[in-house]
Amino acid sequence: MDVVVLGASGNAGSEITRELANRGHHVRAIARKPDAIPDLPGVTRIAGDAHDASELAERIAGADAVISALHFDVTADTLLAALRKAGVGRLLVTGGAASLEIAPGVRLIDSPDFPAEWRDFAMGGIAFLDALRPVQDVDWTFFSPAALIEPGERTGKYRLGTDTLVTDDAGVSRISFADFAIAMVDELEAHRHPRARFTAAY
């Protein structure tokens, strides 16, 4: 596939770019600082600012799919406008875990243990998902990671969920960026969650 990765120089974006390249996809990797994007076969590094929908539309035209690993200061409306202008029909988003349920009707962000310093960023992710939910003309998928996503081993193993936080036997929800990238590219290829949210953790 011809795949665009937005935010390709970050922790998630660089691992997604690497995973796509390893599987033989052609990648247009876009970041403000393209020199920080992994230099890999099949990867074209492109300077770009995703805040400008018209500029972004030019960068993504002709792609089979766009994978966003951007922070939520770039809104869903901006990305959707760019995809529509470019005629790209598929969007996969690196989301947040805060809106996942830890009990029926109780989200992770509602927990008294949720760090206050993460709340504003987390609310951006919740607003992004809420903006995607009614969208029918773009085939979107929102991938909420585990509660803890961090550098670590590439194991190739993970467990899937939908709207409930996935935890291990000790109640811990975590995944490495490398395994998050595997799950993201698996979703790109298998297309299990059209117009839906999913999650993955160990």
Side-chain angles (χ1 to χ4, degrees), residues 47-173:
D49 185 348
H51 290 84
D52 185 326
S54 293
E55 176 187 320
L56 184 57
E58 294 178 5
R59 301 282 195 275
I60 68 176
D64 296 306
V66 171
I67 299 177
S68 173
L70 296 167
H71 293 302
F72 297 121
D73 58 332
V74 178
T75 66
D77 287 346
T78 298
L79 291 191
L80 290 167
L83 265 75
R84 289 165 176 148
K85 188 177 181 69
V88 177
R90 191 156 180 221
L91 173 66
L92 297 91
V93 177
T94 297
S99 59
L100 291 167
E101 290 191 344
I102 55 175
V106 181
R107 304 169 301 175
L108 181 60
I109 197 171
D110 301 323
S111 165
D113 298 326
F114 192 86
E117 63 270 23
W118 294 358
R119 179 169 287 274
D120 286 348
F121 178 79
M123 289 304 297
I126 291 171
F128 200 110
L129 176 58
D130 287 345
L132 287 178
R133 288 194 189 278
V135 172
Q136 293 295 316
D137 63 326
V138 172
D139 185 357
W140 59 268
T141 300
F142 189 91
F143 181 8
S144 289
L148 298 174
I149 179 169
E150 53 199 358
E153 184 181 0
R154 183 186 189 279
T155 70
K157 299 177 181 178
Y158 59 85
R159 292 179 296 135
L160 290 173
T162 52
D163 292 315
T164 301
L165 190 72
V166 175
T167 60
D168 62 16
D169 291 342
V172 176
S173 176

Side-chain angles (χ1 to χ4, degrees), residues 11 149-153 175-178:
N11 287 324
I149 179 169
E150 53 199 358
E153 184 181 0
I175 196 167
S176 70
F177 282 109

